[in-house]
């Protein structure tokens, strides 16, 4: 297993629209394992392939307290949704920044698992938020895109400041 480098906003590579996975094989499973390791180490609750500069449609999630409920989604699709919820979100690609984002409250998602088998799950609460957040990454979107241009500019400045402080 290996820890991967996470791209950070405003890296233009985060804007890439990921392509569907065509083959679920051992290479993909290795990458999924590496992404879990990277996500747990960060630490985070979700990571999309786009964030580690792999532009294919898959992502890993574990929202459990005990960090032992790994969910992986390959070629995920939201097939139904209802309600609205607002939750404070953060992102491993935008460290130290948190903001409220409006999402579907409940969703049904269809995807392939790491063995290439199709499955469907219903999700609400934090898991539903996390799935929608990671799926945005696969479309080249990040959560600060939902903020006003002024707020987004403040985020950019704050990140610059953090990076300068870290480099000093
Ligand atoms: Ni994110």
């Amino acid at each position: 297993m290996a820890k991967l480098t996470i791209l950070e906003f405003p890296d233009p590579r985060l804007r890439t629209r990921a392509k569907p996975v065509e083959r679920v094989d051992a290479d993909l499973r290795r990458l999924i394992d590496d992404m879990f390791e990277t996500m747990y180490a960060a630490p985070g609750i979700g990571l999309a392939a786009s964030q580690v500069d792999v532009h294919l449609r898959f992502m890993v999630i574990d929202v459990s307290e005990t960090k032992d409920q790994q969910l992986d989604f390959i070629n995920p699709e939201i097939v139904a949704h209802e309600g609205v919820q607002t939750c404070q979100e953060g992102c491993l690609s935008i460290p130290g920044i948190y903001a409220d984002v409006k999402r579907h409250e409940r969703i049904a998602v269809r995807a392939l698992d790491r063995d290439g088998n199709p499955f469907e799950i219903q999700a609400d609460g934090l898991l539903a938020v996390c799935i929608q957040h990671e799926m945005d990454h696969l479309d080249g979107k990040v959560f600060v895109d939902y903020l006003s241009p002024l707020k987004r500019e403040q985020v950019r400045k704050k990140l610059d400041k953090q990076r300068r402080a870290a480099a000093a």
Side-chain angles (χ1 to χ4, degrees), residues 131-151:
I131 291 170
Q132 291 171 81
H133 175 119
E134 303 313 330
M135 284 184 70
D136 271 356
H137 279 300
L138 302 181
D139 288 329
K141 272 168 80 175
V142 289
F143 82 95
V144 295
D145 295 349
Y146 295 103
L147 306 179
S148 68
L150 179 67
K151 265 259 168 103

Side-chain angles (χ1 to χ4, degrees), residues 30-47:
R30 195 168 311 126
L31 210 44
I32 286 173
D33 288 339
D34 288 346
M35 281 172 55
F36 272 117
E37 187 185 348
T38 306
M39 179 191 85
Y40 287 132
I45 58 172
L47 190 65

Side-chain angles (χ1 to χ4, degrees), residues 28-101:
L28 187 78
R29 282 188 282 275
R30 195 168 311 126
L31 210 44
I32 286 173
D33 288 339
D34 288 346
M35 281 172 55
F36 272 117
E37 187 185 348
T38 306
M39 179 191 85
Y40 287 132
I45 58 172
L47 190 65
S50 316
Q51 291 176 274
V52 294
D53 205 20
V54 175
H55 301 288
L56 292 171
R57 304 187 79 81
F58 68 97
M59 59 207 208
V60 301
I61 289 178
D62 185 346
V63 295
S64 72
E65 299 264 319
T66 41
K67 299 292 160 215
D68 58 359
Q69 285 168 46
Q70 298 192 344
L71 293 171
D72 37 79
F73 297 84
I74 299 166
N75 297 338
E77 260 182 284
I78 293 177
V79 292
H81 62 80
E82 61 176 21
V84 173
Q85 62 177 329
T86 302
C87 185
Q88 194 182 61
E89 296 187 21
C91 180
L92 294 178
S93 293
I94 315 177
I97 307 291
Y98 302 90
D100 282 347
V101 180

Side-chain angles (χ1 to χ4, degrees), residues 8-27:
E8 291 193 2
F9 178 80
D11 192 312
R13 289 172 290 182
L14 286 170
R15 298 306 187 181
T16 313
R17 208 183 140 79
K19 294 199 171 75
V21 171
E22 290 188 354
R23 210 177 46 218
V24 180
D25 57 13
D27 286 344

